[in-house]
Coordinates of all heavy atoms in Angstrom, one line a residue:
S1 N -26.7 172.3 111.0 CA -26.5 173.4 110.1 C -27.8 173.6 109.3 O -28.7 172.9 109.4 CB -25.3 173.1 109.1 OG -25.6 172.0 108.3
N2 N -27.8 174.7 108.5 CA -29.0 175.0 107.7 C -29.4 173.8 106.7 O -30.5 173.7 106.3 CB -28.9 176.3 107.0 CG -28.9 177.5 107.9 OD1 -29.4 177.4 109.0 ND2 -28.3 178.6 107.5
D3 N -28.4 173.0 106.3 CA -28.7 171.9 105.4 C -28.8 170.6 106.2 O -28.7 169.5 105.5 CB -27.6 171.8 104.4 CG -26.2 171.5 104.9 OD1 -26.0 171.5 106.2 OD2 -25.2 171.4 104.2
R4 N -29.1 170.7 107.5 CA -29.4 169.5 108.3 C -28.2 168.6 108.6 O -28.3 167.5 109.0 CB -30.5 168.6 107.7 CG -31.9 169.2 107.8 CD -32.4 169.3 109.3 NE -32.6 167.9 109.8 CZ -33.0 167.7 111.1 NH1 -33.1 168.7 111.9 NH2 -33.1 166.5 111.5
R5 N -27.0 169.1 108.3 CA -25.8 168.4 108.7 C -25.6 168.6 110.2 O -25.7 169.6 110.8 CB -24.6 169.0 108.0 CG -23.3 168.2 108.2 CD -22.2 168.7 107.3 NE -21.9 170.1 107.5 CZ -21.0 170.6 108.5 NH1 -20.4 169.7 109.3 NH2 -20.8 171.9 108.6
V6 N -25.3 167.4 110.9 CA -25.1 167.5 112.3 C -23.7 168.1 112.6 O -22.7 167.6 112.2 CB -25.2 166.0 112.9 CG1 -24.9 166.1 114.4 CG2 -26.6 165.4 112.7
I7 N -23.8 169.2 113.4 CA -22.6 169.8 113.8 C -22.1 169.3 115.2 O -20.9 169.2 115.5 CB -22.8 171.4 113.9 CG1 -23.2 171.9 112.5 CG2 -21.5 172.1 114.4 CD1 -23.6 173.4 112.5
G8 N -23.1 168.9 116.0 CA -22.7 168.4 117.3 C -23.9 167.8 118.0 O -25.0 168.0 117.7
F9 N -23.6 167.0 119.0 CA -24.6 166.4 119.9 C -24.5 166.9 121.3 O -23.4 167.3 121.8 CB -24.4 164.9 120.0 CG -24.8 164.1 118.8 CD1 -23.9 163.2 118.2 CD2 -26.0 164.2 118.2 CE1 -24.2 162.4 117.1 CE2 -26.4 163.5 117.1 CZ -25.5 162.6 116.5
N10 N -25.6 167.0 121.9 CA -25.7 167.2 123.4 C -26.3 165.9 123.9 O -27.3 165.4 123.5 CB -26.6 168.4 123.7 CG -26.8 168.5 125.2 OD1 -25.9 169.0 125.9 ND2 -28.0 168.2 125.7
N11 N -25.5 165.2 124.8 CA -26.0 163.9 125.3 C -26.1 163.9 126.8 O -25.4 164.6 127.5 CB -25.1 162.8 124.8 CG -23.9 162.6 125.7 OD1 -24.0 161.8 126.7 ND2 -22.8 163.2 125.4
I12 N -27.1 163.1 127.3 CA -27.3 162.9 128.7 C -27.1 161.5 129.1 O -27.5 161.0 130.2 CB -28.6 163.4 129.2 CG1 -29.8 162.7 128.5 CG2 -28.8 164.9 128.9 CD1 -31.1 162.9 129.2
E13 N -26.5 160.7 128.2 CA -26.2 159.3 128.5 C -25.1 159.2 129.6 O -24.1 159.9 129.6 CB -25.8 158.5 127.3 CG -25.5 157.0 127.5 CD -25.6 156.2 126.3 OE1 -26.5 156.4 125.5 OE2 -24.8 155.3 126.2
L14 N -25.3 158.3 130.5 CA -24.3 158.1 131.6 C -23.3 157.0 131.3 O -23.3 156.5 130.1 CB -25.1 157.8 132.9 CG -26.2 158.8 133.3 CD1 -26.7 158.4 134.7 CD2 -25.6 160.2 133.3
I15 N -22.6 156.6 132.2 CA -21.6 155.5 132.0 C -22.4 154.2 131.8 O -23.6 154.2 131.7 CB -20.7 155.4 133.2 CG1 -21.4 154.9 134.5 CG2 -20.0 156.7 133.5 CD1 -20.5 154.7 135.7
T16 N -21.7 153.1 131.5 CA -22.3 151.9 131.1 C -23.4 151.4 132.1 O -23.2 151.6 133.3 CB -21.3 150.7 131.0 OG1 -21.9 149.5 130.5 CG2 -20.6 150.4 132.3
D17 N -24.5 151.0 131.6 CA -25.6 150.4 132.4 C -25.6 148.9 132.3 O -26.6 148.3 132.6 CB -26.9 151.1 132.1 CG -27.3 151.0 130.6 OD1 -26.6 150.3 129.8 OD2 -28.2 151.7 130.2
R18 N -24.6 148.3 131.7 CA -24.5 146.9 131.6 C -23.7 146.3 132.9 O -22.9 147.0 133.4 CB -23.7 146.5 130.4 CG -24.3 147.0 129.1 CD -23.4 146.9 127.9 NE -23.3 145.5 127.5 CZ -22.2 144.9 127.2 NH1 -21.0 145.5 127.4 NH2 -22.2 143.7 126.8
P19 N -24.0 145.1 133.3 CA -23.3 144.5 134.5 C -21.8 144.5 134.3 O -21.3 144.3 133.2 CB -23.9 143.1 134.5 CG -25.2 143.2 133.8 CD -25.0 144.2 132.8
L20 N -21.1 144.8 135.4 CA -19.6 144.9 135.3 C -19.0 143.6 134.8 O -18.1 143.7 133.9 CB -19.1 145.2 136.7 CG -17.6 145.3 136.8 CD1 -17.0 146.4 136.0 CD2 -17.1 145.4 138.3
Q21 N -19.5 142.5 135.2 CA -18.8 141.2 134.8 C -19.0 141.0 133.3 O -18.1 140.5 132.7 CB -19.4 140.0 135.6 CG -18.6 138.7 135.4 CD -17.2 138.9 135.9 OE1 -16.9 139.4 137.0 NE2 -16.2 138.6 135.0
T22 N -20.2 141.4 132.8 CA -20.4 141.3 131.4 C -19.3 142.1 130.6 O -18.8 141.6 129.6 CB -21.8 141.7 131.0 OG1 -22.8 140.9 131.7 CG2 -22.0 141.6 129.5
N23 N -19.1 143.3 131.0 CA -18.1 144.1 130.4 C -16.7 143.5 130.5 O -16.0 143.5 129.5 CB -18.1 145.5 131.0 CG -19.2 146.4 130.4 OD1 -19.1 146.8 129.2 ND2 -20.1 146.8 131.3
L24 N -16.4 143.0 131.7 CA -15.0 142.5 131.9 C -14.8 141.3 131.0 O -13.7 141.1 130.4 CB -14.8 142.1 133.4 CG -14.9 143.3 134.4 CD1 -14.7 142.8 135.8 CD2 -13.8 144.3 134.1
D25 N -15.8 140.4 130.9 CA -15.7 139.2 130.1 C -15.5 139.6 128.6 O -14.7 139.0 127.9 CB -16.9 138.3 130.2 CG -17.0 137.7 131.6 OD1 -16.0 137.6 132.4 OD2 -18.2 137.2 132.0
E26 N -16.2 140.6 128.2 CA -16.1 141.0 126.8 C -14.8 141.6 126.5 O -14.2 141.4 125.4 CB -17.3 141.9 126.4 CG -18.6 141.2 126.4 CD -19.8 142.0 125.9 OE1 -19.5 143.2 125.5 OE2 -20.9 141.6 125.8
I27 N -14.3 142.5 127.4 CA -13.0 143.1 127.2 C -11.9 142.1 127.1 O -11.0 142.1 126.3 CB -12.7 144.1 128.4 CG1 -13.7 145.3 128.4 CG2 -11.3 144.6 128.3 CD1 -13.7 146.1 129.6
R28 N -12.0 141.1 128.0 CA -11.0 140.0 128.0 C -11.0 139.3 126.6 O -9.9 139.0 126.0 CB -11.2 139.0 129.1 CG -10.2 137.9 129.2 CD -10.5 137.0 130.4 NE -10.2 137.7 131.7 CZ -11.1 138.1 132.5 NH1 -12.4 137.9 132.2 NH2 -10.8 138.7 133.6
Q29 N -12.1 139.0 126.1 CA -12.2 138.3 124.8 C -11.8 139.1 123.7 O -11.1 138.7 122.8 CB -13.7 137.8 124.6 CG -13.8 136.9 123.4 CD -13.0 135.6 123.6 OE1 -13.1 134.9 124.6 NE2 -12.2 135.3 122.6
I30 N -12.1 140.4 123.7 CA -11.7 141.3 122.6 C -10.2 141.4 122.6 O -9.6 141.4 121.5 CB -12.4 142.7 122.8 CG1 -13.8 142.7 122.4 CG2 -11.6 143.8 122.0 CD1 -14.1 142.6 121.0
K31 N -9.6 141.5 123.7 CA -8.1 141.7 123.7 C -7.4 140.4 123.2 O -6.4 140.4 122.6 CB -7.6 142.0 125.1 CG -6.2 142.5 125.2 CD -5.9 143.7 124.3 CE -4.4 143.9 124.0 NZ -4.2 145.0 123.0

C-alpha cells in the first residue's frame, strides 16, 4: 500500500527442498 503495508506476496518458492526422510522424521516427532 502507499504506507508500505504488505497487501500480498507473489512467490516462486516450490515444494520442500529438504530430504524426504528428514521431513518424515520431524513430522513423526512433532505429532
Side-chain angles (χ1 to χ4, degrees):
S1 65
N2 290 336
D3 61 355
R4 287 290 295 177
R5 183 173 62 86
V6 176
I7 299 173
F9 285 129
N10 178 73
N11 88 86
I12 62 166
E13 181 159 319
L14 306 185
I15 67 176
T16 183
D17 53 12
R18 305 167 72 229
L20 177 64
Q21 193 59 51
T22 300
N23 277 295
L24 295 177
D25 291 343
E26 290 186 1
I27 294 167
R28 183 176 289 106
Q29 189 61 51
I30 284 287
K31 193 59 195 174

